Amino acid sequence: MQRDVGSFPLAPGLRAKLIGAGFQTAQELLEIGPCELSKEIGISKEEALETLQIVRRECNSNATKTAGDPEAVGKCTALELLAQEQAQGFIITFCSALDDILGGGVQLTKITEICGAPGVGKTQLCMQLAVDVQIPECFGGLAGEAVFIDTEGSFMVDRVVDIATACVQHCQLIAETHQEEDFQKSLETFSFESILSHIYYFRCHDYTELLAQIYLLPDFLSEHSKVRLVIVDGIAFPFRHDFEDLSLRTRLLNGLAQQLISIANAHKLAVVLTNQMTTRIGQSQSMLVPALGESWGHAATIRLIFHWDNKQRLATLYKSPSQKESTVPFHITHTP
Amino acid sequence: MVILRAGLCPGLTAEMIQLLKANSIATVVDLVSSDLEEVARKCSLSYKALVAVRRVLLAQFSAFPVNGADLYEELKSSTAILSTGSRSLDRLLDSGLYTGEVTELTGAPGSGKTQVCLSIAMSTSHDLKQNVLYVDSTGGFTASRLLQLAQTRTGDEEEQVEALQRIQVARVFDVYKMLDVLQELRCSVSQQVLSSLGPVKVLVVDSVSAVICPLLGGRQAEGLALMMQLARELKTLARELSMAVVVTNHVTRDGSSGHLKPALGRSWSFVPSTRVLLESREGTWGKASTRRIASLTKSSRQPTGIEVELDIGSCGVLEESPAASGEGC
């Protein structure tokens, strides 16, 4: 194992001591025992034992990977990924124009970001998606649950009840026209109480709580394995006011984005974030751009921008790996 | 800084090492740079033995200079130039991706970096019939888009399937896992493990800044150290295994001038030999366009500032033909 000592996840002070003592590759570390290691570099025996365990674990997993199948690494060919993608469903938004530009709906294993000025409909769409993810499979949904992390306090339960009731009615209409067994059966469990009970709501008041919530999310998700959607309504709000150190903000946001995408990938769910808009003053004019800066723009895989055009709401798909940029109009109605 | 160990070279015994360590000579560098007469006196070792050991260690650990002509011959025989599938991009890159070098694509979000990467992967896999390893750290890899690109190149389903099979995808979301994957690639090639596919010719890392940015900044230098570790792995893979490495990078806004510049700072800017900046045409959101401008910002072979136009639409990355309008997909 010619792996360099610097590439193991060890504490920086420990790493500095190891390199200072002359250890370069994992091979050299594995050859000596913990007592000698602790004497050589002047750390306690427990730390030496831990270090050797980490190194041994990484090297062993490497050995089994090279000897065995490539699946263990998490590598797969594009063909297998294609099969996986085609078998995945989408979360429909109940607005066919929006679903069209998104390529069928909100995609799983990806982060979708919705930006827009206040009042344009971001939270409405989030609530709609939290209901839509629970549609039973026979109606074309995912039969999943939703996690709603609210930082702005804009989650209105009455509106969710409206949306849920309308959704149930819609499914009932479909069931009547099709008259199949499983449609009726799934309708029995699909009522607005069950919808509301499967939306897990968390309220975070500042960025520390938000970060903690997201880092604790994998444990929550391993208990509730049916969750297929994580919504963070208002990712900009806790990071925008009272934040003096901008480079710390960038680092935290980037770490957050990586954590979210790794959750989305590991648990096969969709992550939806909403963002605010800010004004950028260019040379000749000022434009509205999504908040949180340039580096945040790279965090989301798919970016939707909602804006107004003379009393008409428009949605623009600004960034997507598989769909073209386009703009469609949409409405927010009483019954979607 | 290699530690002195018994058996590192003939004549270096364990007792010798103990005596040397007692006089604070623990590594090869210490031994080679110390005055041997002094050492022989202090450790009561034979001067001749120490000189012999030093000679062997120097031969083992020092780097040898290479004649320029030999280097040129070696490069000529080992470097390959891989076409990216798009004539205008090839023109920008001096006829394609060079193996042994790291090429970087930067651009704002939505400028088409992932599209260009997918297109390079597909053209290497389908046109050149070589294997590709695609390391994805942003979640932007969409296999259905890759299928679309394959379908525009050939209508034969078997060929499409084969092309997709030659592309291996690894999804890693933090820097240690990325180092893992790169290390494993190096081990598997050096141990000549015959996977079902064969040697990888192109390595695409999309994107490198997504895993490094959370670590940079602040008072710790650990982020920089890991970034340099990653850079070293990529360059080693490129040079020793003759691969062409393509990485993508983000852009950030320069604090003072307000212009966009590639992320990861000045230390990273020395790592890739060629840098391409992708931009979309100035316009408001209403006008959707698939045209992008690629400009060369750093190259060891061409003058910088060359620009070409790319169309990242449904046909993949095609050139802009001046006569036709680039449609007809």
Side-chain angles (χ1 to χ4, degrees):
Chain A
M1 291 300 138
Q2 291 306 313
R3 228 178 118 163
D4 200 81
V5 156
S7 64
F8 289 109
L10 302 167
L14 195 55
R15 199 179 297 155
K17 286 197 191 137
L18 281 172
I19 298 188
F23 289 101
Q24 265 192 336
T25 65
Q27 191 65 30
E28 292 167 10
L29 268 184
L30 288 176
E31 280 178 1
I32 68 176
C35 299
E36 290 126 37
L37 185 62
S38 67
K39 256 185 278 176
E40 284 244 4
I41 57 181
I43 54 176
S44 71
K45 292 219 181 91
E46 293 87 24
E47 279 187 273
L49 190 60
E50 256 186 62
T51 314
L52 285 177
Q53 274 175 349
I54 295 181
V55 171
R56 211 164 277 145
R57 191 186 50 208
E58 299 282 324
C59 288
N60 278 339
S61 48
N62 256 340
T64 48
K65 279 172 206 167
T66 48
D69 52 331
E71 301 297 332
V73 190
K75 276 204 287 203
C76 41
T77 65
L79 196 62
E80 292 158 21
L81 272 185
L82 181 67
Q84 271 178 25
E85 271 183 31
Q86 284 171 340
Q88 266 172 23
F90 293 95
I91 306 178
I92 57 174
T93 59
F94 263 120
C95 168
S96 48
L98 213 53
D99 283 338
D100 271 340
I101 61 168
L102 286 173
V106 173
Q107 287 183 30
L108 297 183
T109 73
K110 305 231 189 292
I111 302 186
T112 308
E113 187 186 351
I114 306 176
C115 320
V120 77
K122 310 185 290 292
T123 311
Q124 296 293 313
L125 183 62
C126 290
M127 297 196 281
Q128 178 74 59
L129 288 172
V131 170
D132 288 344
V133 74
Q134 305 186 34
I135 298 179
E137 279 163 11
C138 46
F139 294 107
L142 290 176
E145 303 173 355
V147 167
F148 197 104
I149 302 178
D150 190 4
T151 59
E152 296 172 350
S154 45
F155 186 78
M156 298 282 120
V157 188
D158 327 336
R159 179 65 181 152
V160 180
V161 168
D162 280 343
I163 299 178
T165 329
C167 188
V168 170
Q169 278 173 358
H170 188 95
C171 293
Q172 277 169 347
L173 281 175
I174 301 182
E176 274 165 31
T177 49
H178 283 259
Q179 292 293 334
E180 277 181 24
E181 260 305 309
D182 35 345
F183 281 25
Q184 302 298 337
K185 238 189 305 185
S186 34
L187 263 186
E188 284 162 28
T189 45
F190 190 61
S191 64
F192 86 88
E193 291 106 359
S194 80
I195 296 181
L196 288 179
S197 64
H198 288 307
I199 302 182
Y200 302 106
Y201 178 79
F202 298 93
R203 176 84 168 92
C204 299
H205 294 92
D206 59 22
Y207 75 92
T208 330
E209 284 183 32
L210 180 62
L211 284 171
Q213 188 58 52
I214 301 217
Y215 280 96
L216 291 175
L217 212 46
D219 297 326
F220 180 82
L221 290 174
S222 42
E223 291 165 27
H224 300 86
S225 54
K226 287 187 68 181
V227 173
R228 285 281 167 273
L229 175 66
V230 172
I231 301 174
V232 182
D233 188 7
I235 198 146
F237 183 67
F239 287 98
R240 284 192 81 192
H241 59 99
D242 275 354
F243 221 106
E244 289 111 21
D245 189 357
L246 281 184
S247 72
L248 174 67
R249 186 178 91 169
T250 315
R251 250 178 300 140
L252 288 177
L253 281 173
N254 283 325
L256 199 65
Q258 288 306 106
Q259 178 75 1
L260 283 173
I261 187 72
S262 90
I263 293 177
N265 207 47
H267 299 267
K268 295 237 176 330
L269 42 87
V271 176
V272 175
L273 313 169
T274 57
N275 196 1
Q276 297 168 352
M277 302 293 271
T278 181
T279 314
R280 179 159 80 218
I281 306 190
Q283 281 148 345
S284 47
Q285 14 94 306
S286 64
M287 315 195 317
L288 275 184
V289 294
L292 295 181
E294 282 296 327
S295 48
W296 177 251
H298 298 278
T301 322
I302 301 166
R303 204 174 221 194
L304 263 182
I305 301 189
F306 286 1
H307 49 115
W308 291 96
D309 184 17
N310 288 338
K311 303 238 189 251
Q312 171 63 51
R313 291 179 161 89
L314 295 174
T316 307
L317 182 70
Y318 199 59
K319 175 184 174 190
S320 159
S322 55
Q323 303 297 117
K324 264 175 33 162
E325 251 183 58
S326 39
T327 309
V328 290
F330 69 98
H331 299 277
I332 301 183
T333 57
H334 250 306
T335 48
Chain B
M1 285 228 280
V2 182
I3 304 182
L4 289 170
R5 267 180 292 136
L8 198 57
C9 73
L12 194 61
T13 59
E15 303 94 51
M16 239 190 191
I17 294 184
Q18 288 297 341
L19 288 168
L20 288 171
K21 218 182 272 193
N23 282 296
S24 66
I25 296 184
T27 64
V28 172
V29 174
D30 291 338
L31 180 58
V32 157
S33 52
S34 52
D35 183 7
L36 285 188
E37 282 195 22
E38 281 265 341
V39 174
R41 206 167 24 92
K42 268 199 260 181
C43 311
S44 55
L45 289 169
S46 126
Y47 179 69
K48 267 198 190 159
L50 279 176
V51 168
V53 164
R54 184 168 71 171
R55 199 178 310 139
V56 176
L57 286 178
L58 277 176
Q60 246 185 333
F61 288 100
S62 48
F64 284 102
V66 181
N67 183 329
D70 292 338
L71 190 61
Y72 179 61
E73 288 300 316
E74 191 203 317
L75 276 182
K76 262 205 308 193
S77 59
S78 63
T79 314
I81 306 183
L82 304 166
S83 157
T84 56
S86 149
R87 258 187 292 191
S88 36
L89 194 57
D90 281 346
R91 202 170 48 227
L92 193 69
L93 294 173
D94 193 20
S95 64
L97 295 170
Y98 279 62
T99 60
E101 289 187 4
V102 177
T103 312
E104 183 189 77
L105 299 167
T106 57
S111 57
K113 308 183 287 293
T114 309
Q115 295 302 310
V116 174
C117 286
L118 288 174
S119 165
I120 291 178
M122 180 43 70
S123 87
T124 311
S125 162
H126 176 263
D127 302 336
L128 304 173
K129 306 264 186 295
Q130 299 288 342
N131 296 308
V132 179
L133 176 62
Y134 194 107
V135 178
D136 181 24
S137 66
T138 53
F141 181 83
T142 327
S144 32
R145 173 69 178 147
L146 209 56
L147 182 65
Q148 263 182 353
L149 291 175
Q151 281 165 344
T152 55
R153 282 177 162 79
T154 167
D156 179 11
E157 276 212 20
E158 278 232 10
E159 277 187 40
Q160 287 167 11
V161 164
E162 261 188 45
L164 284 180
Q165 270 178 333
R166 276 192 276 263
I167 303 178
Q168 274 201 314
V169 181
R171 291 195 141 140
V172 293
F173 301 111
D174 70 78
V175 69
Y176 295 111
K177 297 226 181 57
M178 189 180 275
L179 285 169
D180 239 346
V181 167
L182 296 177
Q183 188 80 27
E184 199 231 332
L185 178 62
R186 185 141 65 106
C187 280
S188 69
V189 173
S190 60
Q191 289 170 5
Q192 287 172 340
V193 169
L194 283 175
S195 62
S196 51
L197 300 174
V200 171
K201 263 298 168 208
V202 175
L203 171 68
V204 181
V205 181
D206 180 19
S207 73
V208 110
S209 41
V211 292
I212 305 272
C213 272
L215 305 167
L216 285 182
R219 279 190 228 114
Q220 301 165 333
E222 188 191 37
L224 271 181
L226 282 168
M227 181 169 87
M228 285 299 120
Q229 188 97 48
L230 190 60
R232 188 156 51 130
E233 278 291 330
L234 290 172
K235 290 202 107 148
T236 318
L237 280 171
R239 183 142 304 271
E240 285 184 18
L241 304 183
S242 347
M243 286 187 209
V245 178
V246 180
V247 299
T248 55
N249 195 2
H250 300 168
V251 287
T252 53
R253 203 157 278 280
D254 196 4
S256 41
S257 60
H259 290 310
L260 290 176
K261 58 171 187 174
L264 297 182
R266 201 168 279 194
S267 320
W268 179 263
S269 67
F270 296 113
V271 174
S273 5
T274 316
R275 283 186 131 178
V276 175
L277 176 69
L278 287 168
E279 294 169 300
S280 45
R281 285 235 161 96
E282 269 300 313
T284 57
W285 299 321
K287 301 190 210 126
S289 152
T290 51
R291 302 251 193 276
R292 298 288 183 267
I293 304 186
S295 41
L296 195 63
T297 48
K298 175 184 175 184
S299 165
S300 42
R301 281 180 294 271
Q302 306 234 77
T304 57
I306 306 181
E307 285 184 359
V308 296
E309 252 198 41
L310 300 173
D311 184 351
I312 58 172
S314 57
C315 318
V317 181
L318 278 195
E319 72 226 67
E320 155 100 335
S321 49
S325 56
E327 319 287 343
C329 303

